[in-house]
Amino acid sequence: MKTAAKSDLYRKLPSVDDLLRETEIVALAAHEGHAAVADAARAVLTRLRTEISDGHLDSAAVDVAIAGLAGAVEHQLRKALSYSLRSVINATGVILHTNLGRAPLLSSALDHIRDTASTYSNLEFEVISGERGKRDVHVERLFQKLLNDSFAGEGTRAAPADVSTIVVNNNAAAVLLALNTLADGEEVIVSRGELVEIGGSFRIPDVISKSGAVLREVGTTNRTRIADYESAISQSTRLLLRVHRSNFQISGFTERPSLQELVSLSRKRGIPVVEDLGSGALFDLNSVGVSGEPGVIHSLRAGIDVVTYSGDKLLGGPQAGLLSGRRDLIARMRSNSLFRALRVDKLTYAALEATLLAYIKRDHEAIPVLRMMRASKDEIGKRAEIAAQKLASAALKVKIADGESVIGGGAAPSAVLPTRLLAVSCDDLSAEELAERLRASDPPVIARVEDGRVLLDLRTVFPDQDDVVVSALNRASRR
Ligand SMILES: *Cc1c(COP(=O)(O)O)cnc(C)c1O
């Protein structure tokens, strides 16, 4: 196309001001505000100019575009004013999916957030005395009850009756705070088998160096004995750190000391032991058929001085990092100025308080991730069958197959739950294309692709979303 012709095409385009005077656009501006509509009009015209300059539009195409300008501006406006963060349907069967926001919140948490955050609150205010208060009191009392009560009735061991808990932004921050408080400028001993990287660039050696502590590695990748810890202890050792391996397993010729061995070494030498538990369940995982996964209470009972864990993994609450343990050590962390930098806001306290109350009421069904973990394979299979019957499209081939849901979020990597899957293929589409169309539907449906089929696990789909998944599949299979 010749340059001269291009300039003719540019001249056909209205100015922004002309465009804003058109009836449809005036109506749009009355509704959505002049500034936003003007931005959208400018963006649409700029895009058209670019297309002309790239030689993508001839004279007829420009006429068509001009006829559709009002529609294009409205479309652009909707896009600009829509949320980027939005709800999706998780049909992957991974319960704690970090990319999909980990734990969905329970409904009482949302009510409590609305009640306390849409007005003023007593976040740091003692209502009775009228004096300044502390934000951590709101959950401290609940953690006290959940963690200390679990020692009552134990009988065997003197309860560390004084477990206290503080909250920071996430578990990475909790580990950082513990290290900086207890071992700044001094040594922390960690097994070489636990120098892990958790997704999203949380690496134990890096966090240790950022905390100001000095890493003293002991043992080997596959085997570390208590004697390795013992012989590494020096004048400058301030901490023993145990890290949950979270997302990988070491099998075969392996060894690591038990919690009891670590605790007795720590007591003998007067050096505290901190455990980064990662997921940190507050309920008995055996009750959902997952064994060998230590919970918060298990570690505290074993005598670990401080455990750190996430709020939005197995706890099923908001993003947060929890530090629970010996009151004197937690008090030191609370008075560290890093604690102020890592503190959480009122939304987190509200969501956490509601989550903990559900535990105290033993209302495990109220907590979405617990409900999902407790759902039986039969229950999920029945929902899958009902969904399969509603799949009307002739192009779809549907089978219901045995499979496994994954707990995820750095619980034991082997922690899987038996499930029933909808295994779907479509005549005219590859499995990847079908999965892509599902992601493009509104709300997006996220599924797995395996062996040329799309696999949907209803364990992680809320039951009132089953029909949405069905219609997304029906629509996606249409030509
Ligand atoms: C998940 C995990 C972390 C990071 O926790 P965040 O809450 O995501 O910051 C740290 N350590 C372990 C062992 C984990 O599993």
Side-chain angles (χ1 to χ4, degrees), residues 95-97 100-105 311-318 368-369:
I95 297 174
L96 295 164
H97 198 305
L100 303 184
R102 290 195 187 155
L105 291 179
D312 55 354
K313 291 186 180 174
L314 280 172
L315 189 79
V369 298

Side-chain angles (χ1 to χ4, degrees), residues 102 170-172 198 202 243-244 246 276-279 310 313 320 410:
R102 290 195 187 155
N170 51 33
N171 186 35
I198 317 286
F202 175 87
V243 183
H244 190 291
S246 284
D276 172 12
L277 258 180
S279 212
S310 296
K313 291 186 180 174

Side-chain angles (χ1 to χ4, degrees), residues 85-381:
L85 185 62
R86 59 185 186 140
S87 142
V88 307
I89 293 180
N90 175 9
T92 64
V94 180
I95 297 174
L96 295 164
H97 198 305
T98 296
N99 304 142
L100 303 184
R102 290 195 187 155
L105 291 179
L106 60 173
S107 60
S108 61
L110 301 170
D111 294 342
H112 195 34
I113 289 175
R114 192 172 342 90
D115 288 348
T116 54
S118 59
T119 63
Y120 294 104
S121 67
N122 63 341
L123 182 65
E124 292 186 358
F125 187 72
E126 307 251 9
V127 175
I128 304 289
S129 66
E131 277 166 20
R132 188 177 166 184
K134 283 203 175 122
R135 60 178 64 203
D136 21 326
V137 300
H138 305 293
V139 294
E140 163 78 358
R141 126 196 111 91
L142 300 176
F143 274 114
Q144 279 258 17
K145 184 151 180 56
L146 283 168
L147 299 177
N148 290 336
D149 280 8
S150 71
F151 290 101
E154 260 293 279
T156 47
R157 226 188 138 262
D162 237 10
V163 172
S164 118
T165 300
I166 51 172
V167 187
V168 291
N169 191 42
N170 51 33
N171 186 35
V175 175
L176 181 73
L177 179 63
L179 288 163
N180 178 263
T181 306
L182 303 177
D184 190 12
E186 309 282 349
E187 279 184 13
V188 50
I189 300 181
V190 189
S191 159
R192 290 196 169 91
E194 297 173 4
L195 292 173
V196 300
E197 171 174 324
I198 317 286
S201 71
F202 175 87
R203 296 175 137 195
I204 291 292
D206 296 348
V207 176
I208 290 174
S209 87
K210 290 284 181 199
S211 76
V214 179
L215 169 62
R216 180 74 209 278
E217 305 174 19
V218 295
T220 61
T221 306
N222 56 329
R223 306 194 77 175
T224 303
R225 301 177 188 83
I226 194 67
D228 296 323
Y229 287 84
E230 184 145 29
S231 59
I233 291 177
S234 73
Q235 280 296 311
S236 62
T237 306
R238 291 292 173 277
L239 188 64
L240 309 178
L241 178 66
R242 166 90 143 197
V243 183
H244 190 291
R245 286 188 186 129
S246 284
N247 48 11
F248 78 107
Q249 280 170 303
I250 297 182
S251 57
F253 189 53
T254 69
E255 182 175 345
R256 70 169 180 168
S258 66
L259 288 184
Q260 282 73 18
E261 285 176 297
L262 267 183
V263 167
S264 42
L265 176 64
S266 133
R267 299 270 154 91
K268 190 167 93 188
R269 306 297 292 264
I271 298 167
V273 52
V274 167
E275 183 177 20
D276 172 12
L277 258 180
S279 212
L282 281 185
F283 63 99
D284 184 6
L285 271 167
N286 288 301
S287 69
V288 292
V290 176
S291 59
E293 185 62 12
V296 175
I297 289 160
H298 173 92
S299 289
L300 290 173
R301 264 189 201 156
I304 296 288
D305 292 298
V306 173
V307 294
T308 76
Y309 49 107
S310 296
D312 55 354
K313 291 186 180 174
L314 280 172
L315 189 79
Q319 179 189 304
L322 292 324
L323 296 120
S324 297
R326 252 171 64 188
R327 180 165 299 273
D328 58 325
L329 299 181
I330 297 291
R332 282 172 59 194
M333 297 182 196
R334 183 186 270 115
S335 56
N336 184 335
S337 57
L338 251 190
F339 176 57
R340 172 62 181 77
L342 302 173
R343 81 174 185 192
V344 300
D345 73 337
K346 59 195 174 191
L347 310 187
T348 303
Y349 275 111
L352 198 53
E353 189 178 21
T355 309
L356 297 175
L357 265 181
Y359 278 102
I360 284 178
K361 293 192 280 184
R362 302 250 182 282
D363 188 7
H364 293 170
E365 281 296 300
I367 303 170
V369 298
L370 266 62
R371 198 165 61 226
M372 287 171 185
M373 274 185 271
R374 290 151 65 99
S376 71
K377 176 178 155 183
D378 285 351
E379 216 173 308
I380 296 163

Side-chain angles (χ1 to χ4, degrees), residues 31-54:
H31 241 256
E32 308 288 352
H34 180 81
V37 174
D39 282 346
R42 230 169 271 125
V44 167
L45 289 173
T46 305
R47 198 164 54 226
L48 272 179
R49 272 191 214 102
T50 310
E51 283 178 23
I52 291 171
S53 122
D54 292 348

